[in-house]
Amino acid sequence: MRTVLASILVLMIGSTINSAQAASSGHIGRWCVVDGHDNSRHCYFRRHRDCIKAIADGSGTCVPNEKRRGEMPEDKSK
């Protein structure tokens, strides 16, 4: 019984660490490109202008990342 509980605890801690690393690794940006072909979202962009550059060929749309809605100050570099 102790082994099972210890295993569950280790899994929970590992999952929490992995989630924190993913959130801080830059993969969740403030702006997302929505692909025009399959509507997939790629949220890697910190600035709106970087998102716009990524879709210069007209293959998608830039939208604010819904998961980071409260963190959307305007770019001061515009």
Side-chain angles (χ1 to χ4, degrees), residues 6-72:
S7 298
I8 291 172
L9 181 63
V10 167
L11 287 172
M12 288 173 43
I13 291 170
S15 175
T16 302
I17 290 170
N18 285 339
S19 296
Q21 286 176 343
S24 67
S25 66
H27 294 293
I28 301 176
R30 293 181 180 152
W31 293 93
C32 304
V33 168
V34 178
D35 190 341
H37 303 291
D38 62 1
N39 287 335
S40 60
R41 285 180 179 246
H42 306 283
C43 302
Y44 302 114
F45 305 98
R46 289 179 47 209
R47 295 183 202 101
H48 185 253
R49 67 180 175 170
D50 295 334
C51 185
I52 294 294
K53 287 179 187 177
I55 59 165
D57 63 355
S59 64
T61 294
C62 289
V63 296
N65 186 350
E66 294 172 0
K67 293 181 181 178
R68 306 239 351 226
R69 181 171 287 186
E71 303 173 23
M72 296 297 295

Short mmCIF file of all heavy atoms in Angstrom, two decimals, residues 6-72:
data_model
loop_
_atom_site.label_atom_id
_atom_site.label_comp_id
_atom_site.label_asym_id
_atom_site.label_seq_id
_atom_site.Cartn_x
_atom_site.Cartn_y
_atom_site.Cartn_z
N ALA A 6 3.26 6.03 -2.61
CA ALA A 6 4.50 6.72 -2.96
C ALA A 6 4.60 6.91 -4.47
O ALA A 6 5.02 7.96 -4.95
CB ALA A 6 5.71 5.94 -2.44
N SER A 7 4.20 5.91 -5.24
CA SER A 7 4.23 6.01 -6.70
C SER A 7 3.28 7.09 -7.20
O SER A 7 3.63 7.87 -8.10
CB SER A 7 3.84 4.67 -7.33
OG SER A 7 4.75 3.67 -6.99
N ILE A 8 2.11 7.15 -6.63
CA ILE A 8 1.13 8.18 -7.02
C ILE A 8 1.67 9.57 -6.69
O ILE A 8 1.56 10.50 -7.49
CB ILE A 8 -0.23 7.93 -6.34
CG1 ILE A 8 -0.87 6.67 -6.92
CG2 ILE A 8 -1.15 9.14 -6.50
CD1 ILE A 8 -2.11 6.22 -6.20
N LEU A 9 2.27 9.72 -5.53
CA LEU A 9 2.84 11.01 -5.14
C LEU A 9 3.96 11.43 -6.09
O LEU A 9 4.01 12.58 -6.52
CB LEU A 9 3.37 10.92 -3.70
CG LEU A 9 3.99 12.21 -3.15
CD1 LEU A 9 2.94 13.32 -3.08
CD2 LEU A 9 4.59 11.96 -1.79
N VAL A 10 4.82 10.51 -6.46
CA VAL A 10 5.91 10.82 -7.39
C VAL A 10 5.35 11.24 -8.75
O VAL A 10 5.83 12.19 -9.37
CB VAL A 10 6.86 9.61 -7.52
CG1 VAL A 10 7.81 9.78 -8.69
CG2 VAL A 10 7.64 9.41 -6.23
N LEU A 11 4.34 10.55 -9.22
CA LEU A 11 3.71 10.91 -10.50
C LEU A 11 3.08 12.30 -10.45
O LEU A 11 3.18 13.07 -11.41
CB LEU A 11 2.67 9.87 -10.90
CG LEU A 11 3.23 8.53 -11.37
CD1 LEU A 11 2.09 7.52 -11.56
CD2 LEU A 11 4.01 8.69 -12.65
N MET A 12 2.42 12.62 -9.35
CA MET A 12 1.80 13.93 -9.21
C MET A 12 2.86 15.04 -9.19
O MET A 12 2.69 16.07 -9.84
CB MET A 12 0.94 13.99 -7.95
CG MET A 12 -0.33 13.19 -8.06
SD MET A 12 -1.29 13.04 -6.53
CE MET A 12 -1.26 14.66 -5.85
N ILE A 13 3.94 14.82 -8.49
CA ILE A 13 5.01 15.83 -8.42
C ILE A 13 5.65 16.00 -9.79
O ILE A 13 5.89 17.11 -10.24
CB ILE A 13 6.06 15.44 -7.36
CG1 ILE A 13 5.45 15.57 -5.96
CG2 ILE A 13 7.31 16.31 -7.48
CD1 ILE A 13 6.31 15.00 -4.86
N GLY A 14 5.91 14.90 -10.48
CA GLY A 14 6.49 14.97 -11.82
C GLY A 14 5.60 15.70 -12.79
O GLY A 14 6.06 16.51 -13.61
N SER A 15 4.32 15.45 -12.71
CA SER A 15 3.36 16.13 -13.59
C SER A 15 3.34 17.63 -13.33
O SER A 15 3.30 18.43 -14.26
CB SER A 15 1.97 15.54 -13.37
OG SER A 15 1.02 16.23 -14.12
N THR A 16 3.39 18.01 -12.08
CA THR A 16 3.39 19.43 -11.72
C THR A 16 4.66 20.12 -12.23
O THR A 16 4.60 21.22 -12.78
CB THR A 16 3.29 19.59 -10.19
OG1 THR A 16 2.10 18.95 -9.74
CG2 THR A 16 3.28 21.04 -9.79
N ILE A 17 5.79 19.47 -12.09
CA ILE A 17 7.05 20.04 -12.57
C ILE A 17 7.02 20.20 -14.08
O ILE A 17 7.42 21.23 -14.62
CB ILE A 17 8.24 19.19 -12.11
CG1 ILE A 17 8.42 19.32 -10.60
CG2 ILE A 17 9.52 19.59 -12.84
CD1 ILE A 17 9.42 18.36 -10.01
N ASN A 18 6.55 19.18 -14.80
CA ASN A 18 6.48 19.26 -16.26
C ASN A 18 5.56 20.37 -16.72
O ASN A 18 5.85 21.07 -17.68
CB ASN A 18 6.02 17.93 -16.85
CG ASN A 18 7.11 16.89 -16.82
OD1 ASN A 18 8.28 17.22 -16.73
ND2 ASN A 18 6.72 15.63 -16.89
N SER A 19 4.44 20.57 -16.05
CA SER A 19 3.51 21.65 -16.41
C SER A 19 4.15 23.01 -16.20
O SER A 19 4.01 23.91 -17.03
CB SER A 19 2.23 21.56 -15.58
OG SER A 19 1.54 20.38 -15.87
N ALA A 20 4.86 23.17 -15.12
CA ALA A 20 5.52 24.45 -14.83
C ALA A 20 6.61 24.73 -15.85
O ALA A 20 6.78 25.86 -16.30
CB ALA A 20 6.09 24.44 -13.42
N GLN A 21 7.36 23.71 -16.24
CA GLN A 21 8.42 23.90 -17.22
C GLN A 21 7.84 24.26 -18.58
O GLN A 21 8.37 25.10 -19.28
CB GLN A 21 9.27 22.63 -17.33
CG GLN A 21 10.19 22.43 -16.16
CD GLN A 21 10.95 21.12 -16.24
OE1 GLN A 21 10.59 20.23 -16.99
NE2 GLN A 21 11.99 21.02 -15.45
N ALA A 22 6.76 23.62 -18.98
CA ALA A 22 6.14 23.92 -20.27
C ALA A 22 5.63 25.35 -20.31
O ALA A 22 5.77 26.05 -21.30
CB ALA A 22 5.00 22.95 -20.54
N ALA A 23 5.06 25.81 -19.21
CA ALA A 23 4.52 27.17 -19.17
C ALA A 23 5.63 28.22 -19.20
O ALA A 23 5.46 29.29 -19.76
CB ALA A 23 3.66 27.36 -17.92
N SER A 24 6.78 27.92 -18.63
CA SER A 24 7.85 28.90 -18.58
C SER A 24 8.83 28.78 -19.73
O SER A 24 9.73 29.58 -19.85
CB SER A 24 8.61 28.76 -17.25
OG SER A 24 9.29 27.53 -17.22
N SER A 25 8.66 27.81 -20.60
CA SER A 25 9.65 27.59 -21.65
C SER A 25 9.41 28.43 -22.89
O SER A 25 10.12 28.31 -23.87
CB SER A 25 9.67 26.11 -22.04
OG SER A 25 8.45 25.75 -22.64
N GLY A 26 8.39 29.29 -22.88
CA GLY A 26 8.17 30.16 -24.01
C GLY A 26 7.22 29.61 -25.05
O GLY A 26 7.00 30.23 -26.07
N HIS A 27 6.67 28.44 -24.82
CA HIS A 27 5.77 27.85 -25.80
C HIS A 27 4.36 28.41 -25.72
O HIS A 27 3.54 28.15 -26.58
CB HIS A 27 5.73 26.33 -25.65
CG HIS A 27 7.03 25.69 -25.98
ND1 HIS A 27 7.56 25.68 -27.24
CD2 HIS A 27 7.92 25.07 -25.20
CE1 HIS A 27 8.71 25.06 -27.24
NE2 HIS A 27 8.96 24.68 -26.00
N ILE A 28 4.09 29.17 -24.67
CA ILE A 28 2.77 29.76 -24.55
C ILE A 28 2.94 31.27 -24.64
O ILE A 28 3.14 31.94 -23.64
CB ILE A 28 2.09 29.35 -23.24
CG1 ILE A 28 1.97 27.84 -23.16
CG2 ILE A 28 0.71 29.98 -23.15
CD1 ILE A 28 1.42 27.32 -21.87
N GLY A 29 2.88 31.78 -25.85
CA GLY A 29 3.06 33.21 -26.06
C GLY A 29 1.76 33.97 -25.94
O GLY A 29 0.69 33.39 -25.77
N ARG A 30 1.86 35.26 -26.06
CA ARG A 30 0.68 36.11 -25.97
C ARG A 30 -0.15 36.10 -27.24
O ARG A 30 -1.32 36.43 -27.22
CB ARG A 30 1.11 37.54 -25.66
CG ARG A 30 1.71 37.67 -24.30
CD ARG A 30 2.11 39.10 -24.04
NE ARG A 30 2.67 39.19 -22.71
CZ ARG A 30 3.55 40.08 -22.35
NH1 ARG A 30 3.97 40.98 -23.21
NH2 ARG A 30 4.01 40.11 -21.13
N TRP A 31 0.49 35.75 -28.37
CA TRP A 31 -0.21 35.76 -29.65
C TRP A 31 -0.12 34.40 -30.32
O TRP A 31 0.90 33.72 -30.23
CB TRP A 31 0.40 36.82 -30.57
CG TRP A 31 0.13 38.19 -30.06
CD1 TRP A 31 0.93 38.94 -29.27
CD2 TRP A 31 -1.05 38.96 -30.28
NE1 TRP A 31 0.33 40.13 -28.98
CE2 TRP A 31 -0.89 40.17 -29.59
CE3 TRP A 31 -2.22 38.74 -31.00
CZ2 TRP A 31 -1.85 41.17 -29.60
CZ3 TRP A 31 -3.18 39.73 -31.01
CH2 TRP A 31 -2.99 40.93 -30.31
N CYS A 32 -1.18 34.03 -31.00
CA CYS A 32 -1.25 32.74 -31.68
C CYS A 32 -1.48 32.95 -33.18
O CYS A 32 -2.20 33.86 -33.57
CB CYS A 32 -2.42 31.90 -31.17
SG CYS A 32 -2.42 31.61 -29.40
N VAL A 33 -0.88 32.08 -33.97
CA VAL A 33 -1.20 32.01 -35.39
C VAL A 33 -2.23 30.92 -35.54
O VAL A 33 -2.04 29.80 -35.07
CB VAL A 33 0.05 31.67 -36.24
CG1 VAL A 33 -0.35 31.33 -37.65
CG2 VAL A 33 1.02 32.82 -36.23
N VAL A 34 -3.34 31.24 -36.18
CA VAL A 34 -4.35 30.23 -36.51
C VAL A 34 -4.12 29.88 -37.97
O VAL A 34 -4.27 30.72 -38.85
CB VAL A 34 -5.79 30.75 -36.28
CG1 VAL A 34 -6.79 29.68 -36.68
CG2 VAL A 34 -5.97 31.15 -34.83
N ASP A 35 -3.73 28.64 -38.21
CA ASP A 35 -3.42 28.17 -39.56
C ASP A 35 -4.67 28.19 -40.42
O ASP A 35 -5.72 27.69 -40.02
CB ASP A 35 -2.85 26.76 -39.49
CG ASP A 35 -2.29 26.28 -40.80
OD1 ASP A 35 -2.63 26.84 -41.86
OD2 ASP A 35 -1.49 25.32 -40.78
N GLY A 36 -4.57 28.77 -41.60
CA GLY A 36 -5.71 28.87 -42.50
C GLY A 36 -6.13 27.55 -43.12
O GLY A 36 -7.23 27.43 -43.64
N HIS A 37 -5.26 26.54 -43.07
CA HIS A 37 -5.56 25.25 -43.70
C HIS A 37 -6.32 24.31 -42.77
O HIS A 37 -7.29 23.68 -43.17
CB HIS A 37 -4.27 24.58 -44.18
CG HIS A 37 -3.50 25.43 -45.13
ND1 HIS A 37 -3.93 25.71 -46.40
CD2 HIS A 37 -2.32 26.07 -44.98
CE1 HIS A 37 -3.06 26.49 -47.01
NE2 HIS A 37 -2.06 26.73 -46.16
N ASP A 38 -5.87 24.20 -41.52
CA ASP A 38 -6.51 23.24 -40.61
C ASP A 38 -6.97 23.85 -39.29
O ASP A 38 -7.36 23.13 -38.38
CB ASP A 38 -5.56 22.07 -40.34
CG ASP A 38 -4.27 22.49 -39.65
OD1 ASP A 38 -4.11 23.69 -39.35
OD2 ASP A 38 -3.43 21.61 -39.41
N ASN A 39 -6.93 25.18 -39.18
CA ASN A 39 -7.37 25.91 -37.98
C ASN A 39 -6.61 25.54 -36.72
O ASN A 39 -7.10 25.74 -35.61
CB ASN A 39 -8.88 25.74 -37.74
CG ASN A 39 -9.69 26.53 -38.73
OD1 ASN A 39 -9.22 27.52 -39.28
ND2 ASN A 39 -10.91 26.10 -38.97
N SER A 40 -5.39 25.01 -36.85
CA SER A 40 -4.59 24.71 -35.66
C SER A 40 -3.98 26.01 -35.14
O SER A 40 -3.75 26.95 -35.89
CB SER A 40 -3.49 23.70 -36.00
OG SER A 40 -2.63 24.22 -36.99
N ARG A 41 -3.75 26.06 -33.83
CA ARG A 41 -3.19 27.25 -33.18
C ARG A 41 -1.75 26.97 -32.78
O ARG A 41 -1.44 25.91 -32.25
CB ARG A 41 -3.98 27.61 -31.92
CG ARG A 41 -5.28 28.22 -32.21
CD ARG A 41 -6.01 28.55 -30.90
NE ARG A 41 -7.26 29.18 -31.21
CZ ARG A 41 -7.55 30.43 -30.92
NH1 ARG A 41 -6.69 31.16 -30.26
NH2 ARG A 41 -8.71 30.93 -31.26
N HIS A 42 -0.91 27.97 -33.00
CA HIS A 42 0.49 27.90 -32.62
C HIS A 42 0.79 29.18 -31.84
O HIS A 42 0.90 30.25 -32.42
CB HIS A 42 1.39 27.78 -33.85
CG HIS A 42 1.01 26.64 -34.73
ND1 HIS A 42 1.31 25.34 -34.42
CD2 HIS A 42 0.30 26.60 -35.88
CE1 HIS A 42 0.83 24.55 -35.37
NE2 HIS A 42 0.22 25.30 -36.25
N CYS A 43 0.89 29.06 -30.53
CA CYS A 43 1.01 30.22 -29.65
C CYS A 43 2.45 30.39 -29.17
O CYS A 43 2.78 30.09 -28.03
CB CYS A 43 0.07 30.07 -28.47
SG CYS A 43 -1.65 29.89 -28.96
N TYR A 44 3.29 30.90 -30.05
CA TYR A 44 4.70 31.06 -29.74
C TYR A 44 5.15 32.51 -29.68
O TYR A 44 6.31 32.79 -29.44
CB TYR A 44 5.57 30.37 -30.80
CG TYR A 44 5.28 28.91 -30.98
CD1 TYR A 44 4.75 28.43 -32.16
CD2 TYR A 44 5.56 28.01 -29.96
CE1 TYR A 44 4.50 27.09 -32.32
CE2 TYR A 44 5.31 26.67 -30.11
CZ TYR A 44 4.78 26.20 -31.30
OH TYR A 44 4.54 24.88 -31.45
N PHE A 45 4.29 33.46 -29.93
CA PHE A 45 4.71 34.83 -30.19
C PHE A 45 4.44 35.76 -29.02
O PHE A 45 3.34 35.83 -28.51
CB PHE A 45 4.01 35.36 -31.45
CG PHE A 45 4.25 34.47 -32.63
CD1 PHE A 45 3.29 33.54 -33.00
CD2 PHE A 45 5.43 34.54 -33.34
CE1 PHE A 45 3.52 32.70 -34.08
CE2 PHE A 45 5.66 33.70 -34.41
CZ PHE A 45 4.71 32.77 -34.78
N ARG A 46 5.48 36.50 -28.61
CA ARG A 46 5.34 37.46 -27.52
C ARG A 46 4.77 38.77 -28.02
O ARG A 46 4.08 39.47 -27.29
CB ARG A 46 6.70 37.73 -26.89
CG ARG A 46 7.21 36.56 -26.08
CD ARG A 46 8.57 36.82 -25.47
NE ARG A 46 8.64 38.12 -24.83
CZ ARG A 46 9.75 38.81 -24.72
NH1 ARG A 46 10.88 38.35 -25.19
NH2 ARG A 46 9.75 39.98 -24.13
N ARG A 47 5.08 39.14 -29.25
CA ARG A 47 4.64 40.42 -29.81
C ARG A 47 3.74 40.20 -31.02
O ARG A 47 3.95 39.28 -31.81
CB ARG A 47 5.84 41.25 -30.24
CG ARG A 47 6.72 41.65 -29.10
CD ARG A 47 7.84 42.54 -29.61
NE ARG A 47 8.95 42.50 -28.68
CZ ARG A 47 10.05 41.77 -28.86
NH1 ARG A 47 10.22 41.07 -29.94
NH2 ARG A 47 10.99 41.77 -27.94
N HIS A 48 2.79 41.09 -31.18
CA HIS A 48 1.87 41.02 -32.30
C HIS A 48 2.62 41.13 -33.63
O HIS A 48 2.33 40.41 -34.58
CB HIS A 48 0.81 42.11 -32.19
CG HIS A 48 -0.24 42.02 -33.24
ND1 HIS A 48 -0.29 42.91 -34.28
CD2 HIS A 48 -1.24 41.13 -33.43
CE1 HIS A 48 -1.30 42.58 -35.06
NE2 HIS A 48 -1.88 41.51 -34.57
N ARG A 49 3.59 42.01 -33.69
CA ARG A 49 4.33 42.19 -34.95
C ARG A 49 5.09 40.93 -35.35
O ARG A 49 5.24 40.65 -36.53
CB ARG A 49 5.26 43.39 -34.86
CG ARG A 49 6.38 43.22 -33.90
CD ARG A 49 7.26 44.42 -33.86
NE ARG A 49 8.26 44.25 -32.81
CZ ARG A 49 9.27 45.02 -32.64
NH1 ARG A 49 9.44 46.06 -33.44
NH2 ARG A 49 10.12 44.80 -31.68
N ASP A 50 5.58 40.15 -34.38
CA ASP A 50 6.25 38.90 -34.70
C ASP A 50 5.27 37.89 -35.28
O ASP A 50 5.58 37.12 -36.19
CB ASP A 50 6.94 38.31 -33.47
CG ASP A 50 8.07 39.19 -32.96
OD1 ASP A 50 8.65 39.95 -33.77
OD2 ASP A 50 8.36 39.12 -31.75
N CYS A 51 4.07 37.89 -34.73
CA CYS A 51 3.02 37.01 -35.24
C CYS A 51 2.66 37.39 -36.68
O CYS A 51 2.54 36.54 -37.55
CB CYS A 51 1.79 37.10 -34.33
SG CYS A 51 0.47 35.96 -34.75
N ILE A 52 2.53 38.69 -36.93
CA ILE A 52 2.20 39.18 -38.28
C ILE A 52 3.29 38.78 -39.27
O ILE A 52 3.01 38.36 -40.40
CB ILE A 52 2.00 40.71 -38.26
CG1 ILE A 52 0.77 41.08 -37.45
CG2 ILE A 52 1.91 41.27 -39.67
CD1 ILE A 52 -0.54 40.61 -38.03
N LYS A 53 4.55 38.89 -38.87
CA LYS A 53 5.66 38.49 -39.75
C LYS A 53 5.58 37.01 -40.10
O LYS A 53 5.92 36.62 -41.21
CB LYS A 53 7.00 38.79 -39.09
CG LYS A 53 7.36 40.24 -39.04
CD LYS A 53 8.69 40.43 -38.34
CE LYS A 53 9.01 41.88 -38.12
NZ LYS A 53 10.26 42.07 -37.38
N ALA A 54 5.14 36.19 -39.17
CA ALA A 54 5.07 34.75 -39.40
C ALA A 54 4.03 34.37 -40.44
O ALA A 54 4.13 33.33 -41.07
CB ALA A 54 4.79 34.02 -38.09
N ILE A 55 3.03 35.23 -40.62
CA ILE A 55 1.98 34.92 -41.59
C ILE A 55 2.03 35.86 -42.78
O ILE A 55 1.02 36.14 -43.41
CB ILE A 55 0.58 34.95 -40.95
CG1 ILE A 55 0.30 36.32 -40.35
CG2 ILE A 55 0.42 33.86 -39.92
CD1 ILE A 55 -1.15 36.57 -40.03
N ALA A 56 3.22 36.33 -43.10
CA ALA A 56 3.38 37.28 -44.20
C ALA A 56 2.88 36.72 -45.53
O ALA A 56 2.48 37.47 -46.41
CB ALA A 56 4.84 37.69 -44.33
N ASP A 57 2.84 35.40 -45.66
CA ASP A 57 2.37 34.79 -46.90
C ASP A 57 0.84 34.67 -46.95
O ASP A 57 0.28 34.17 -47.92
CB ASP A 57 3.00 33.42 -47.11
CG ASP A 57 2.64 32.42 -46.03
OD1 ASP A 57 1.97 32.80 -45.04
OD2 ASP A 57 3.03 31.24 -46.16
N GLY A 58 0.16 35.13 -45.91
CA GLY A 58 -1.31 35.11 -45.88
C GLY A 58 -1.91 33.76 -45.54
O GLY A 58 -3.08 33.52 -45.78
N SER A 59 -1.12 32.88 -44.93
CA SER A 59 -1.60 31.53 -44.66
C SER A 59 -2.33 31.37 -43.33
O SER A 59 -2.73 30.28 -42.98
CB SER A 59 -0.42 30.55 -44.67
OG SER A 59 0.47 30.87 -43.62
N GLY A 60 -2.52 32.47 -42.59
CA GLY A 60 -3.18 32.35 -41.30
C GLY A 60 -3.60 33.69 -40.76
O GLY A 60 -3.60 34.70 -41.46
N THR A 61 -3.97 33.68 -39.48
CA THR A 61 -4.45 34.86 -38.78
C THR A 61 -3.80 34.92 -37.41
O THR A 61 -3.57 33.88 -36.79
CB THR A 61 -5.98 34.77 -38.62
OG1 THR A 61 -6.57 34.83 -39.89
CG2 THR A 61 -6.53 35.84 -37.75
N CYS A 62 -3.54 36.11 -36.92
CA CYS A 62 -3.02 36.30 -35.56
C CYS A 62 -4.17 36.63 -34.62
O CYS A 62 -4.98 37.51 -34.93
CB CYS A 62 -2.00 37.43 -35.53
SG CYS A 62 -0.47 37.03 -36.34
N VAL A 63 -4.22 35.92 -33.52
CA VAL A 63 -5.25 36.17 -32.51
C VAL A 63 -4.59 36.16 -31.13
O VAL A 63 -3.58 35.50 -30.93
CB VAL A 63 -6.38 35.10 -32.56
CG1 VAL A 63 -7.12 35.16 -33.87
CG2 VAL A 63 -5.84 33.72 -32.30
N PRO A 64 -5.17 36.88 -30.17
CA PRO A 64 -4.63 36.83 -28.80
C PRO A 64 -4.79 35.42 -28.23
O PRO A 64 -5.76 34.72 -28.51
CB PRO A 64 -5.51 37.81 -28.02
CG PRO A 64 -6.11 38.69 -29.05
CD PRO A 64 -6.26 37.85 -30.28
N ASN A 65 -3.82 35.01 -27.43
CA ASN A 65 -3.88 33.71 -26.78
C ASN A 65 -4.91 33.78 -25.65
O ASN A 65 -4.76 34.56 -24.72
CB ASN A 65 -2.50 33.35 -26.23
CG ASN A 65 -2.44 31.95 -25.67
OD1 ASN A 65 -3.45 31.29 -25.51
ND2 ASN A 65 -1.24 31.51 -25.37
N GLU A 66 -5.93 32.98 -25.72
CA GLU A 66 -7.00 33.00 -24.72
C GLU A 66 -6.51 32.61 -23.34
O GLU A 66 -7.05 33.04 -22.33
CB GLU A 66 -8.13 32.06 -25.15
CG GLU A 66 -8.83 32.53 -26.40
CD GLU A 66 -9.80 31.50 -26.94
OE1 GLU A 66 -9.94 30.42 -26.33
OE2 GLU A 66 -10.42 31.77 -27.97
N LYS A 67 -5.46 31.79 -23.27
CA LYS A 67 -4.94 31.36 -21.97
C LYS A 67 -4.15 32.46 -21.27
O LYS A 67 -3.89 32.38 -20.09
CB LYS A 67 -4.06 30.13 -22.15
CG LYS A 67 -4.85 28.92 -22.59
CD LYS A 67 -3.96 27.72 -22.74
CE LYS A 67 -4.78 26.54 -23.21
NZ LYS A 67 -3.96 25.35 -23.40
N ARG A 68 -3.74 33.47 -22.01
CA ARG A 68 -2.96 34.56 -21.43
C ARG A 68 -3.69 35.88 -21.60
O ARG A 68 -3.08 36.93 -21.74
CB ARG A 68 -1.59 34.63 -22.10
CG ARG A 68 -0.87 33.33 -22.07
CD ARG A 68 0.44 33.22 -21.41
NE ARG A 68 1.16 34.33 -20.95
CZ ARG A 68 2.45 34.50 -21.18
NH1 ARG A 68 3.11 33.67 -21.93
NH2 ARG A 68 3.08 35.50 -20.66
N ARG A 69 -4.98 35.86 -21.57
CA ARG A 69 -5.81 37.03 -21.84
C ARG A 69 -5.49 38.20 -20.91
O ARG A 69 -5.47 39.35 -21.32
CB ARG A 69 -7.28 36.67 -21.72
CG ARG A 69 -8.20 37.83 -22.02
CD ARG A 69 -9.60 37.38 -22.11
NE ARG A 69 -9.71 36.67 -23.37
CZ ARG A 69 -10.83 36.21 -23.86
NH1 ARG A 69 -11.94 36.37 -23.20
NH2 ARG A 69 -10.87 35.57 -24.99
N GLY A 70 -5.22 37.96 -19.66
CA GLY A 70 -4.95 39.03 -18.71
C GLY A 70 -3.58 39.64 -18.87
O GLY A 70 -3.25 40.60 -18.21
N GLU A 71 -2.76 39.11 -19.76
CA GLU A 71 -1.39 39.57 -19.91
C GLU A 71 -1.16 40.15 -21.31
O GLU A 71 -0.21 39.82 -21.98
CB GLU A 71 -0.44 38.41 -19.68
CG GLU A 71 -0.61 37.76 -18.34
CD GLU A 71 0.23 36.52 -18.20
OE1 GLU A 71 1.23 36.38 -18.92
OE2 GLU A 71 -0.12 35.68 -17.39
N MET A 72 -2.03 41.04 -21.77
CA MET A 72 -1.95 41.52 -23.13
C MET A 72 -1.68 43.02 -23.23
O MET A 72 -2.43 43.75 -23.86
CB MET A 72 -3.26 41.21 -23.88
CG MET A 72 -3.56 39.75 -24.05
SD MET A 72 -2.36 38.93 -25.05
CE MET A 72 -2.61 39.72 -26.60
#
